[in-house]
């Protein structure tokens, strides 16, 4: 690899990497001008999300840079999945540090673009800068959905079943065990897979949906609060990732699965588990085994929470 020696050379390099992507749906102009141009189709709603990924908070320098690139985009795509939308494009701003190797930056973009290609997400632009001590990636992702059909948090009804995709607690287990002992759980932590196909399949079916970024009880609390209802866990086991504790499944966070509600008579979609029922009551209140539980999970602004740092 020829090492880019200026911002302009980096932009050329990223443009060359991004140009390999065959995906151009709606993208009129991508990387290289003052702005990107995107032309939405008639009858579409566009959904937007933004996400920060900060060294020693969300990842460490020891992580493979391609995995960090994947992670930066995957977190935004998970929000797009939670809306039932299809990703269209992303914008990525990256602040590196004086000691960031050019190969780190190159591999970061390779990891990001691999996931972008696989999910039909165009890298449409961004910014590069040198910061002080922590590598910081800020991503904006835009998705599209048929007008009025986006899944929201506020639509759950009393009696609706509460469902979750996949297995929970794996990311927290992986973070606890680390790269050498974490095995599959470590991969869950480092390279989460956004549930885009499931999200799209839930359009017109789910009454509410949210992605599990901060922890099951905390994200369920948010969905219940938005819907003006209480939530009750059904008796029976949670879908816990092998080796993870129940506490990790309930409040570990970063699993990036989907949490959603379906009308009372609905069946569990494939790969999902019914875990509870929406109830009339104090908005946001969560009960399990007859007792109210305090929503817990990752909160950047409270002391004592655990992170990659
Ligand atoms: Mg979210």
């Amino acid at each position: 690899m020829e090492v880019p020696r200026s911002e302009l050379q980096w932009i050329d390099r990223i443009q060359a990497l991004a140009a390999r992507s065959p995906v151009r749906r709606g993208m009129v102009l991508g990387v290289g001008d003052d702005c990107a141009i995107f032309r939405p189709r008639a009858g579409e709603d566009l959904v937007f999300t933004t996400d920060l990924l900060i060294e020693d908070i969300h990842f460490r320098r020891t992580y493979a840079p391609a995995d960090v690139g994947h992670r930066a985009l995957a977190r935004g795509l998970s929000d797009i999945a939670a809306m039932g939308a299809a990703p269209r494009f992303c914008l990525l701003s990256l602040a590196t540090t004086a000691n960031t190797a050019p190969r780190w930056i190159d591999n970061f973009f390779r990891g990001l673009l691999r996931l972008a290609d696989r999910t039909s997400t165009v890298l449409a632009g961004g910014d590069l800068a040198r910061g002080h001590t922590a590598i910081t990636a800020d991503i904006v992702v835009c998705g599209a959905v048929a007008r009025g059909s986006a899944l929201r948090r506020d639509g759950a009804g009393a009696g609706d079943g509460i469902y979750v995709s996949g297995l929970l607690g794996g990311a927290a287990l992986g973070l606890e065990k680390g790269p050498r002992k974490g095995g599959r759980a470590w991969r869950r932590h480092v390279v989460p897979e956004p549930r885009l196909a499931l999200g799209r399949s839930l359009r017109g079916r789910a009454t509410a949906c949210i992605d599990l970024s901060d922890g099951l009880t905390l994200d369920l609390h948010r969905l219940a609060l938005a819907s003006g209802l209480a939530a009750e866990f059904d008796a029976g086991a949670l879908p816990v990732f092998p080796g993870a504790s129940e506490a990790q499944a309930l409040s570990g966070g970063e699993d990036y699965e989907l949490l959603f509600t379906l009308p009372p008579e609905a069946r569990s979609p494939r790969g999902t588990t019914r875990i509870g029922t929406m109830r009339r009551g104090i908005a946001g209140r969560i009960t399990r085994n007859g007792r109210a539980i305090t929503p817990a999970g990752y909160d950047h602004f409270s002391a004592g929470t655990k992170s990659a740092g």
Side-chain angles (χ1 to χ4, degrees):
M1 168 200 152
E2 237 178 275
V3 179
R5 303 208 173 273
S6 67
E7 187 176 338
L8 209 60
Q9 284 179 12
W10 267 116
I11 291 166
D12 284 347
R13 171 107 190 125
I14 293 158
Q15 203 167 8
L17 286 171
R20 288 186 201 159
S21 162
V23 180
R24 281 292 174 271
R25 191 172 32 183
M27 216 66 228
V28 178
L29 188 62
V31 177
D33 210 310
D34 294 299
C35 287
I37 304 176
F38 177 77
R39 189 170 295 152
R41 290 185 204 150
E44 273 183 351
D45 282 340
L46 299 181
V47 300
F48 296 90
T49 184
T50 179
D51 217 84
L52 270 172
L53 193 77
I54 304 168
E55 183 178 3
D56 290 338
I57 303 290
H58 302 102
F59 72 94
R60 284 177 178 277
R61 195 72 69 101
T62 52
Y63 291 18
D67 290 347
V68 179
H70 172 108
R71 194 168 163 71
L73 177 58
R75 286 152 44 93
L77 289 176
S78 181
D79 283 329
I80 299 294
M83 303 302 285
R88 287 290 188 263
F89 66 87
C90 65
L91 305 165
L92 187 274
S93 293
L94 180 68
T96 60
T97 61
N99 63 355
T100 310
R103 185 159 299 281
W104 193 100
I105 302 173
D106 209 56
N107 286 329
F108 171 91
F109 276 102
R110 284 174 189 277
L112 186 145
L113 287 165
R114 205 178 303 138
L115 179 61
D117 285 358
R118 188 154 64 73
T119 56
S120 301
T121 312
V122 178
L123 177 63
D127 196 17
L128 289 171
R130 184 159 287 178
H132 293 289
T133 55
I135 295 174
T136 303
D138 179 30
I139 197 147
V140 173
V141 187
C142 170
V145 69
R147 185 171 293 172
S149 74
L151 302 172
R152 299 161 46 145
R153 300 178 183 184
D154 59 4
D160 284 359
I162 304 166
Y163 299 79
V164 73
S165 63
L167 302 172
L168 306 181
L173 176 68
L175 183 58
E176 178 198 301
K177 296 278 185 195
R180 269 172 298 166
K181 293 184 182 166
R184 283 201 309 130
W186 173 252
R187 298 307 292 169
R188 283 278 297 192
H189 162 64
V190 179
V191 283
E193 183 63 31
R195 302 299 181 204
L196 288 160
L198 174 64
R200 268 176 287 189
S201 78
L202 292 175
R203 259 185 347 228
R205 297 166 69 195
T207 49
C209 188
I210 186 171
D211 70 315
L212 291 176
S213 55
D214 295 330
L216 174 60
T217 57
L218 190 54
D219 290 320
L220 177 57
H221 167 73
R222 288 172 176 149
L223 184 150
L225 200 61
S227 294
L229 293 170
E232 180 182 56
F233 279 99
D234 291 342
L238 285 168
V240 180
F241 192 92
S245 67
E246 194 170 68
Q248 285 172 326
L250 283 169
S251 61
E254 299 196 309
D255 283 315
Y256 297 105
E257 296 292 348
L258 294 184
L259 174 72
F260 56 96
T261 55
L262 295 174
E265 67 280 5
R267 285 228 197 118
S268 299
R270 187 194 293 263
T272 72
T273 309
R274 181 172 168 151
I275 58 164
T277 307
M278 301 302 295
R279 301 282 187 207
R280 269 180 236 292
I282 299 164
R285 182 180 151 104
I286 300 172
T287 53
R288 188 159 188 258
N289 302 324
R291 289 211 310 247
I293 55 174
T294 309
Y298 192 80
D299 181 345
H300 282 276
F301 296 97
S302 77
T305 50
K306 200 168 177 213
S307 75

